[in-house]
Amino acid sequence: MPDVISTTGTPYADGKILTHTADGVGVITFNNPDKRNAMSLEMWEGFGEALTVLRDDDTVRVVILRGAGGKAFVSGADISQFEQVRHNAAASEEYAKRSAAQRALLADYPKPTIACIDGFCLGGGMQVAMLADIRLASQDSQFGIPAAKLGIAYGYDGLKHLVSLVGPSWARLLMYTGMRIDSAEALRIGLVERVFPQGELWGETMAMAETIAQNAPLAIKAAKITIAQVLKDESRRDMEAIKVIGNACMDSADFREGRQAFMEKRKPQFRGK
């Protein structure tokens, strides 16, 4: 897939969210580079529309999230909207409901997701990145949650994911200070999985996405469902869902194709059935 992100793709939110697809890979681009891809409420809603379209596209097997402009993944919420939509507790609650609906789509997304992080990943950008299954970053990226510097409370879901990734001590340090950390530190504490030179990030991200897209979709779905259940409290785990997807894998044409391809020493052609 060519690395063209600001002039092509299906537009949402007046072009500030773009999607394009090729070879089983869907890409959602946060396309507001003049504001370092800061998220307006309209962008959150466009993001939800884009997620829904790619979710329902049977040709898409994995989704990449990225920012336009080479300076930021998402630098946070669009603070210029705060006086209008987040000026007090009641307004902030309504804003949270509308943006949370889009984050919930990503949290429960049935397909694998990769956050391709180049540049600033701050505040709401961290929420998006932490909801992705895999986080890849360039060496020049910076991470942080400046809620304490703005006098706002970071939501429960965002902090839950932060704690699950980096642990409570690092979560406290990041939240209490509002500090930024670089990619090397983010890698060390478990916030991201891999770090690449800036010029290699997109190619490495696409290579990983293509590998995922070529693997058996049902097997990946089984892994995603099971890992999600492992992360829940034992009393809330849906063991039946794990059993159902496991049986679906074992009864699938893809399982037969995988066995046959192995015996014939060829590359399998999986169909997700």
Side-chain angles (χ1 to χ4, degrees):
M1 183 181 297
D3 190 8
V4 178
I5 61 178
S6 59
T7 60
T8 64
T10 303
Y12 303 87
D14 293 327
K16 292 182 179 178
I17 299 291
L18 298 174
T19 67
H20 57 284
T21 63
D23 301 323
V25 180
V27 179
I28 297 177
T29 301
F30 303 104
N31 187 39
N32 191 17
D34 291 344
K35 292 188 176 183
R36 294 182 174 176
N37 302 322
M39 293 286 282
S40 65
L41 192 54
E42 293 76 20
M43 286 178 67
W44 278 115
E45 292 174 342
F47 180 43
E49 292 179 57
L51 284 170
T52 300
V53 168
L54 296 183
R55 180 196 66 194
D56 296 340
D57 184 340
D58 291 338
T59 68
V60 172
R61 294 187 176 181
V62 57
V63 173
I64 297 172
L65 311 175
R66 71 181 306 198
K71 299 294 185 182
F73 174 69
V74 172
S75 62
D78 186 349
I79 297 177
S80 67
Q81 285 195 331
F82 277 22
E83 281 300 316
Q84 178 185 359
V85 298
R86 299 184 73 178
H87 55 279
N88 59 28
S92 185
E93 183 176 3
E94 178 61 23
Y95 177 96
K97 286 179 181 178
R98 292 172 67 182
S99 60
Q102 323 312 324
R103 290 191 295 274
L105 274 174
L106 182 57
D108 296 326
Y109 212 62
K111 299 178 180 181
T113 53
I114 303 172
C116 177
I117 303 165
D118 186 13
F120 293 107
C121 181
L122 307 173
M126 283 272 283
Q127 284 191 307
V128 173
M130 290 188 296
L131 286 170
D133 293 320
I134 299 166
R135 285 156 294 281
L136 309 179
S138 72
Q139 291 175 340
D140 299 327
S141 297
Q142 295 186 41
F143 303 81
I145 301 172
K149 297 180 181 295
L150 295 170
I152 61 176
Y154 205 64
Y156 172 83
D157 288 339
L159 284 177
K160 177 182 177 182
H161 290 295
L162 180 64
V163 171
S164 72
L165 289 170
V166 306
S169 295
W170 261 102
R172 293 185 187 104
L173 181 58
L174 290 169
M175 295 305 302
Y176 295 176
T177 64
M179 68 188 291
R180 294 182 186 176
I181 60 173
D182 61 18
S183 292
E185 191 81 278
L187 180 64
R188 188 182 70 82
I189 67 176
L191 187 59
V192 302
E193 281 69 61
R194 301 287 299 278
V195 173
F196 302 100
Q198 186 177 38
E200 299 176 15
L201 175 63
W202 179 243
E204 293 287 351
T205 302
M206 277 301 303
M208 182 177 291
E210 288 167 353
T211 296
I212 294 171
Q214 291 165 7
N215 285 337
L218 285 174
I220 292 172
K221 184 177 181 180
K224 182 159 185 168
I225 288 172
T226 304
I227 291 168
Q229 297 306 316
V230 168
L231 292 173
K232 294 180 180 180
D233 292 334
E234 186 173 357
S235 63
R236 297 180 58 242
R237 290 176 189 157
D238 187 348
M239 302 306 292
E240 183 62 22
I242 296 173
K243 180 180 178 180
V244 167
I245 188 60
N247 289 340
C249 286
M250 300 307 292
D251 288 337
S252 69
D254 277 354
F255 181 39
R256 294 192 295 276
E257 166 66 8
R259 299 196 311 272
Q260 191 71 24
F262 179 82
M263 297 300 293
E264 297 173 359
K265 296 182 172 56
R266 61 173 174 82
K267 187 176 180 179
Q269 300 295 318
F270 295 120
R271 298 184 299 152
K273 299 179 180 178

